[in-house]
Amino acid sequence: VGSRESGFEDPGGSSVGSTPGTPRLPGASVKTMDALRTITALGDDETEASGTASGWLRQLRSQGISSLRELERLRHAHEHFINTERGNAVFGTVILLYAVVLGFQANAPDGDVTIDTWWIVENSFLAIFVLELVLRFRANGMTTLRDPWNAADLFLVTTGILDNWVLTLVAAILAKKDGGGGVMEGLA
């Protein structure tokens, strides 16, 4: 496979444009996409790659792609629901719905809705947001964090897990240990 077919910058320094109409992977550069096509054409054995192809492998490694298995996973990442416009629309709608629920929660008069109900609703949304991140990491690996929005999501979800699951569980255990009622009474 020559450098003109791949559209990837060869180690000698010449650069050739990428193939038009190629689907893009989230967080993948044009060079990465071109290298994916080149390496796929070469086969799975690095020893088959010689000369310029070895240079492409070095460039892939410099972009954080360390194995052909990871390369294969990236090649199929666009097939995952989470990387589609529909997937983004679904989780975007959930985020908007959560914002509406938070607005209702903030403006709800005391006693209208029990604390247990808000706790269940909040934790349901948190579980959905955890699912979204799991799907993104499963589809894209650590390249997920190249998008600042995903990094912010990871921070917010981690904070939510600590606040709603870890600290709440610790508080419930301590309440029970101090002679309080059951775990749900310790949560209230």
Side-chain angles (χ1 to χ4, degrees):
V1 175
S3 64
R4 296 217 178 272
E5 292 173 1
S6 71
F8 194 69
E9 181 179 333
D10 79 25
S14 65
S15 180
V16 180
S18 66
T19 308
T22 302
R24 297 271 304 146
L25 296 177
S29 68
V30 172
K31 289 181 179 182
T32 301
M33 290 302 300
D34 291 339
L36 286 172
R37 284 189 301 279
T38 301
I39 300 304
T40 301
L42 290 173
D44 291 330
D45 186 9
E46 277 189 41
T47 59
E48 292 179 26
S50 62
T52 304
S54 296
W56 292 329
L57 286 170
R58 282 192 297 279
Q59 287 184 3
L60 277 176
R61 287 192 181 104
S62 74
Q63 293 181 27
I65 299 172
S66 59
S67 69
L68 292 177
R69 180 200 282 169
E70 183 177 0
L71 187 63
E72 185 67 17
R73 183 186 49 73
L74 283 174
R75 200 173 68 111
H76 293 291
H78 68 281
E79 297 171 1
H80 294 275
F81 169 75
I82 196 70
N83 292 330
T84 64
E85 287 183 27
R86 186 175 182 192
N88 286 328
V90 166
F91 286 105
T93 303
V94 170
I95 290 169
L96 290 175
L97 183 60
Y98 184 57
V100 169
V101 167
L102 287 178
F104 281 120
Q105 182 182 12
N107 294 317
D110 290 338
D112 273 5
V113 181
T114 66
I115 292 174
D116 290 342
T117 303
W118 288 126
W119 186 81
I120 290 168
V121 169
E122 198 168 315
N123 282 287
S124 298
F125 277 105
L126 181 58
I128 292 169
F129 296 142
V130 167
L131 173 66
E132 177 192 11
L133 277 177
V134 166
L135 291 174
R136 288 196 187 282
F137 276 100
R138 180 139 171 85
N140 305 319
M142 292 306 289
T143 60
T144 298
L145 295 177
R146 289 183 185 168
D147 182 350
W149 289 107
N150 290 334
D153 283 348
L154 179 63
F155 173 77
L156 292 172
V157 169
T158 301
T159 303
I161 289 170
L162 288 173
D163 182 41
N164 291 331
W165 295 346
V166 175
L167 295 178
T168 303
L169 182 61
V170 169
I173 291 170
L174 292 176
K176 186 170 181 156
K177 186 177 180 181
D178 290 340
V183 171
M184 284 310 288
E185 291 173 9
L187 294 175

